[in-house]
Amino acid sequence: MGITLTDIAAERVSQFLENRGKGVGLRLGVKTTGCSGMAYVLEFVDAIEPEDQVFEDKGVKVIVDPKSLVYIDGTELDYTREGLNEGFRFNNPNVKDSCGCGESFTV
Amino acid sequence: MALLQIAEPGQSDAPHQRKLAAGIDLGTTNSLVATVRSGVPETLPNEQGEHLLPSVVQYKKGSAPVVGSEARAAATKDPLNTIISVKRFMGRGLDDVKSLGSRLPYEFVESESDMPRLHTVAGDFSPVEISADILKTLKQRAQDTLGDELTGVVITVPAYFDDAQRQATKDAARLAGLNVLRLINEPTAAAVAYGLDQGAEGVHAVFDLGGGTFDISILRLNKGVFEVLATSGDSALGGDDMDHAIAEWIMQQADIKDDVDHAQLRRLMHVARDVKEALTDSNSTTVKVELSDGAFWEGELTRETFNQLVDPLIRKTLVPCRRTLRDAGITAEEIQEVVMVGGSTRVPRVRELVGEFFGREPLVDIDPDKVVAIGAAVQADILAGNKPDGEMLLLDITPLSLGLETMGGLVEKVISRNTPIPVARAQDFTTFKDGQTALALHILQGERELVSDCRSLARFELRGIPPMVAGAARIRVTFQVDADGLLSVTAKEQTTGTESSIQVKPSYGLTDNEIEGMLRDSFEHAKEDAGMRMLREQQVEAERVIEALTAALDEDGNVLLSEQERTEINTCLQNLINIKTGNDIRAIKKAISQLDKATQDFAARRMNASINKALAGHKLDEFKN
């Protein structure tokens, strides 16, 4: 399984990293909080931890900690635009239910 | 499902707790909103992809006001109800507004407060309310884009804005339902956008040439704080003047008479603007205009001819540049970076001449229309807490000293100019007369020594001071300036805890260059002010001595003094009373010391008498131990 990125998501991530001027990749993860159980984490990574799993897709390093991987394995990260709003979207096959706003989910 | 942005390591927020912050450039001609997403600050467009929101509001009967390009388009047809450049009226009194331009079509209505209101079909609106309508539009755009409520915003204001104008801007934001994290100066925001605040300490220039206004500011970065050393400009010089110059050239070339109708002139200005923009990237462009008889005239304008046309206009900007350098007391060589702001700085000739003047390549990488909003967004992001600790927090400074009036019409400065804000400073004051139960506080802004030369901000009274002899009461006055440069003053009598305070609602009405002028005056009059201060201090001292002696004479004069002694003291006293109103500091000093000498015996006798009185009826033993 692992984590993949759509072309546009990969392009945006590379661009953001370049603009930021530092960082080795992108961290995907989950934390247990929010109205429906868990919430996604999307952060720049400056240092890879020893236990981290590193995936590489379309030239982007995606870093996931093993605890999070259970919940998001197989996820495809997409970048889309909805009206004026644009941003990243997790296409996560593990999700059974998400809260109305979509910021948190249960597996 | 909500769309996500990339956060800094460890800064991911819980759902529904994201701290969305935006920077707003509330401009005279155009306004913008920007935010930091996935670490990149960018301005936000509307559905049509337009980033700039024209700062124009059209009021209609029975429906919501229209803001932006649609309103701007309506301006010629509906001039009375379409408000343009409302920023020029912010924080101004009616008299100021009237003197700003008798050419303005608006009907001003006097209101209970000092703020004038503009009459429209939808009712009377203050400049604050009109600005709030612009801000509401930007707020809506930001929330539609970010998908959630804004936590807070940073709004930029011109460096020369005074307290009244800043307060008016803050009021407008509050009215629009925005939480203002901070107001920052426009040149400061531009410098932040280029990351100059992260760089080494030094002096930078911000050259801001917009459509109709020109501002030049000299900033100094010192310990993470940008200090505005000097500002200058021309409130009637900008890209529009370049369009005029081109339009005139076309009229000359195409043999168009001066008396053509308005519609034709407007078409010409339109063509002129297109020509100017085309010449930014190419060396020559075709000019095509429709004449009144329906025929077309076609010509060619080269960059070289264009440069000749606009050179006199651009050179006009160099005069204020020279002046600010002089005011700031630095030379062009000491300037480290020159930041270009405003759409007109896209003109290559402007960059060339400015580069020549400062002797270095100006910074032009960030879109000059957006650079201020981008800097504000960066600042808002930090203030909202989206950056890890340790990121430098930009501070602002007080542009002018703040103080209190003391006896003799002197100003006691409590917070001196260039103090980083937010700041709180306290100073103890006391009573001047025996039994004084109230203290009038007069708050002033400025660098001069005399009240009459400074700007009055507010007055309030502390009442309920317990009666004591002069000088015994301890009244602590605390000046507090918040992060936006707004002042509150509290006076507290220390023994009883009696307290009184005021939020400075600055009296509206100060001209653009007044801060600059006030500063210059203080330098020019430094010596004279110091002399005047010494004189006033002597005069106050004289008054204090007279006051105290008169009270003492009334009480004990008859008992403790002989006729001759009394006459002698009276002569000296009268002498001091006569001299104190004069301008001779030394004479007043001498008269005081003469009186002091003449009353030495009297003072000693009073002291003995009061000790005797205190001891009378007591045995010595009672005072042992």
Side-chain angles (χ1 to χ4, degrees):
Chain A
M1 293 277 270
I3 309 287
T4 55
L5 283 80
T6 62
D7 290 347
I8 178 149
E11 190 189 309
R12 296 300 293 182
V13 173
S14 309
Q15 211 176 325
F16 287 139
L17 276 167
E18 190 185 323
N19 278 327
R20 190 166 172 267
K22 60 172 183 185
V24 295
L26 182 70
R27 178 178 298 282
L28 263 63
V30 293
K31 51 182 179 183
T32 48
T33 176
C35 49
S36 193
M38 283 185 217
Y40 291 116
V41 169
L42 194 59
E43 289 176 357
F44 292 112
V45 177
D46 288 329
I48 300 174
E49 304 297 325
E51 67 273 15
D52 280 337
Q53 290 242 27
V54 182
F55 302 95
E56 188 152 349
D57 188 27
K58 302 188 174 75
V60 176
K61 276 203 176 71
V62 178
I63 291 110
V64 186
D65 69 278
K67 270 165 88 182
S68 293
L69 189 60
V70 182
Y71 301 102
I72 59 172
D73 202 8
T75 292
E76 179 197 52
L77 187 69
D78 192 13
Y79 190 87
T80 58
R81 172 186 275 278
E82 283 176 0
L84 286 176
N85 193 1
E86 53 185 288
F88 293 92
R89 183 203 295 277
F90 282 68
N91 293 325
N92 185 353
N94 306 298
V95 172
K96 297 211 174 56
D97 196 11
S98 67
C99 80
C101 61
E103 277 193 57
S104 53
F105 64 96
T106 46
V107 291
Chain B
M1 129 150 216
L3 298 176
L4 297 165
Q5 310 295 333
I6 311 175
E8 286 294 311
Q11 301 291 311
S12 286
D13 290 306
H16 316 293
Q17 296 200 347
R18 284 180 298 156
K19 290 162 286 203
L20 297 177
I24 292 178
D25 174 4
L26 186 60
T28 308
T29 319
N30 291 302
S31 297
L32 288 125
V33 60
T35 193
V36 177
R37 284 193 291 179
S38 297
V40 181
E42 54 193 358
T43 54
L44 306 175
N46 63 4
E47 283 94 344
Q48 286 77 46
E50 299 159 346
H51 290 255
L52 294 175
L53 175 76
S55 306
V56 184
V57 186
Q58 184 193 14
Y59 288 95
K60 292 179 169 179
K61 208 172 179 142
S63 68
V66 178
V67 182
S69 2
E70 200 186 320
R72 189 176 56 186
T76 40
K77 269 181 285 163
D78 189 15
L80 280 181
N81 300 311
T82 310
I83 317 299
I84 304 175
S85 302
V86 68
K87 188 174 176 181
R88 290 182 197 264
F89 310 140
M90 288 292 269
R92 300 303 191 85
L94 189 60
D95 295 340
D96 287 320
V97 170
K98 277 187 173 154
S99 70
L100 266 177
S102 42
R103 298 166 292 126
L104 295 169
Y106 314 124
E107 284 175 47
F108 290 100
V109 191
E110 231 166 314
S111 64
E112 276 167 42
S113 71
D114 289 333
M115 241 192 303
R117 301 172 83 83
L118 284 76
H119 182 72
T120 75
V121 282
D124 298 342
F125 297 102
S126 70
V128 167
E129 289 167 297
I130 298 164
S131 296
D133 282 324
I134 299 170
L135 289 171
K136 275 181 204 160
T137 308
L138 294 171
K139 176 191 172 192
Q140 194 55 48
R141 184 190 292 183
Q143 297 192 342
D144 287 349
T145 307
L146 302 174
D148 213 338
E149 295 269 310
L150 289 176
T151 312
V153 293
V154 166
I155 301 178
T156 59
V157 290
Y160 56 75
F161 254 30
D162 62 28
D163 273 0
Q165 291 166 302
R166 283 166 202 263
Q167 180 66 53
T169 306
K170 242 189 143 185
D171 289 347
R174 201 167 301 139
L175 210 55
L178 289 167
N179 169 31
V180 180
L181 297 169
R182 188 167 293 186
L183 301 180
I184 66 172
N185 290 325
E186 287 162 8
T188 305
V192 169
Y194 277 103
L196 298 184
D197 55 326
Q198 306 295 320
E201 298 191 343
V203 183
H204 307 291
V206 180
F207 184 98
D208 183 351
L209 186 61
T213 55
F214 168 64
D215 291 301
I216 173 80
S217 315
I218 309 291
L219 306 180
R220 181 167 65 196
L221 180 67
N222 185 18
K223 298 192 189 86
V225 178
F226 274 114
E227 172 191 352
V228 180
L229 289 181
T231 72
S232 185
D234 189 332
S235 56
L237 177 65
D240 299 346
D241 298 295
M242 296 188 192
D243 299 348
H244 266 289
I246 298 173
E248 267 168 36
W249 177 83
I250 298 173
M251 286 169 78
Q252 216 176 41
Q253 299 291 314
D255 203 18
I256 300 171
K257 297 281 173 299
D258 276 349
D259 55 357
V260 288
D261 59 278
H262 271 294
Q264 171 76 349
L265 275 179
R266 212 172 311 127
R267 269 203 304 277
L268 269 173
M269 286 296 286
H270 222 91
V271 171
R273 174 189 280 223
D274 291 344
V275 165
K276 175 184 72 179
E277 288 175 6
L279 285 173
T280 295
D281 295 319
S282 57
N283 282 320
S284 141
T285 185
T286 326
V287 187
K288 195 174 175 187
V289 280
E290 191 183 349
L291 304 174
S292 40
D293 57 9
F296 281 90
W297 175 84
E298 219 178 287
E300 179 90 8
L301 183 61
T302 60
R303 167 98 57 90
E304 208 183 329
T305 317
F306 170 68
N307 286 352
Q308 281 167 12
L309 290 174
V310 297
D311 249 28
L313 293 170
I314 304 172
R315 292 199 186 278
K316 261 173 94 175
T317 66
L318 301 181
V319 180
C321 286
R322 225 165 270 133
R323 194 163 59 225
T324 38
L325 283 177
R326 206 173 46 231
D327 286 354
I330 55 166
T331 60
E333 290 77 53
E334 289 174 69
I335 300 283
Q336 291 184 345
E337 298 286 0
V338 182
V339 177
M340 296 295 248
V341 182
S344 303
T345 59
R346 287 204 187 85
V347 173
R349 186 65 176 158
V350 172
R351 295 179 176 182
E352 217 173 290
L353 288 178
V354 171
E356 235 168 65
F357 179 83
F358 287 103
R360 73 209 57 239
E361 283 288 307
L363 295 173
V364 295
D365 297 339
I366 304 177
D367 185 334
D369 281 325
K370 299 176 181 169
V371 61
V372 167
I374 284 174
V378 170
Q379 196 59 34
D381 195 48
I382 298 172
L383 287 171
N386 290 331
K387 288 274 181 147
D389 295 343
E391 281 286 339
M392 187 152 45
L393 230 177
L394 175 81
L395 297 166
D396 238 324
I397 50 149
T398 53
L400 291 168
S401 300
L402 297 161
L404 280 178
E405 171 169 355
T406 60
M407 289 305 294
L410 291 172
V411 181
E412 180 78 31
K413 295 188 179 71
V414 180
I415 297 178
S416 57
R417 71 179 281 260
N418 289 344
T419 304
I421 53 178
V423 63
R425 292 269 160 83
Q427 203 151 322
D428 285 345
F429 291 86
T430 187
T431 46
F432 185 78
K433 282 194 179 190
D434 290 344
Q436 185 179 336
T437 58
L439 187 72
L441 292 113
H442 184 196
I443 302 154
L444 296 133
Q445 184 179 37
E447 303 312 308
R448 305 286 301 274
E449 300 290 342
L450 297 188
V451 167
S452 50
D453 294 325
C454 286
R455 181 178 184 224
S456 169
L457 288 180
R459 289 169 186 274
F460 73 107
E461 275 189 8
L462 175 68
R463 296 188 165 278
I465 303 170
M468 286 181 249
V469 287
R474 272 183 55 227
I475 297 145
R476 173 153 296 177
V477 180
T478 309
F479 275 55
Q480 195 166 351
V481 183
D482 72 11
D484 304 311
L486 299 171
L487 172 70
S488 58
V489 180
T490 312
K492 188 175 182 182
E493 203 288 305
Q494 298 291 81
T495 53
T496 55
T498 314
E499 199 177 292
S500 174
S501 70
I502 195 166
Q503 278 274 344
V504 175
K505 280 270 177 194
S507 43
Y508 284 79
L510 198 71
T511 60
D512 282 5
N513 296 321
E514 210 164 273
I515 286 189
E516 197 194 342
M518 284 166 95
L519 273 178
R520 231 191 347 258
D521 278 359
S522 77
F523 299 143
E524 278 164 17
H525 298 280
K527 215 168 171 185
E528 167 192 336
D529 273 7
M532 192 56 101
R533 179 168 197 110
M534 273 159 69
L535 174 64
R536 289 291 173 92
E537 277 171 357
Q538 268 326 310
Q539 288 173 334
V540 170
E541 177 63 12
E543 265 164 46
R544 194 191 60 75
V545 169
I546 293 164
E547 181 86 23
L549 182 59
T550 312
L553 284 173
D554 283 351
E555 206 175 305
D556 297 324
N558 291 333
V559 188
L560 297 175
L561 292 172
S562 70
E563 194 71 25
Q564 195 203 340
E565 285 167 330
R566 179 103 197 219
T567 319
E568 198 184 319
I569 289 175
N570 271 341
T571 316
C572 288
L573 181 61
Q574 199 52 51
N575 178 37
L576 181 60
I577 291 172
N578 292 340
I579 276 175
K580 80 164 166 93
T581 46
N583 291 329
D584 192 340
I585 301 174
R586 252 190 265 166
I588 300 173
K589 234 179 189 163
K590 208 170 142 200
I592 292 174
S593 71
Q594 269 174 354
L595 188 62
D596 208 32
K597 233 181 188 165
T599 56
Q600 253 170 21
D601 280 351
F602 178 47
R605 268 177 243 166
R606 284 194 79 209
M607 181 76 84
N608 287 338
S610 71
I611 291 172
N612 281 339
K613 208 159 128 199
L615 298 183
H618 297 281
K619 289 196 184 112
L620 194 57
D621 290 351
E622 290 178 43
F623 296 98
K624 279 186 177 165
N625 298 325

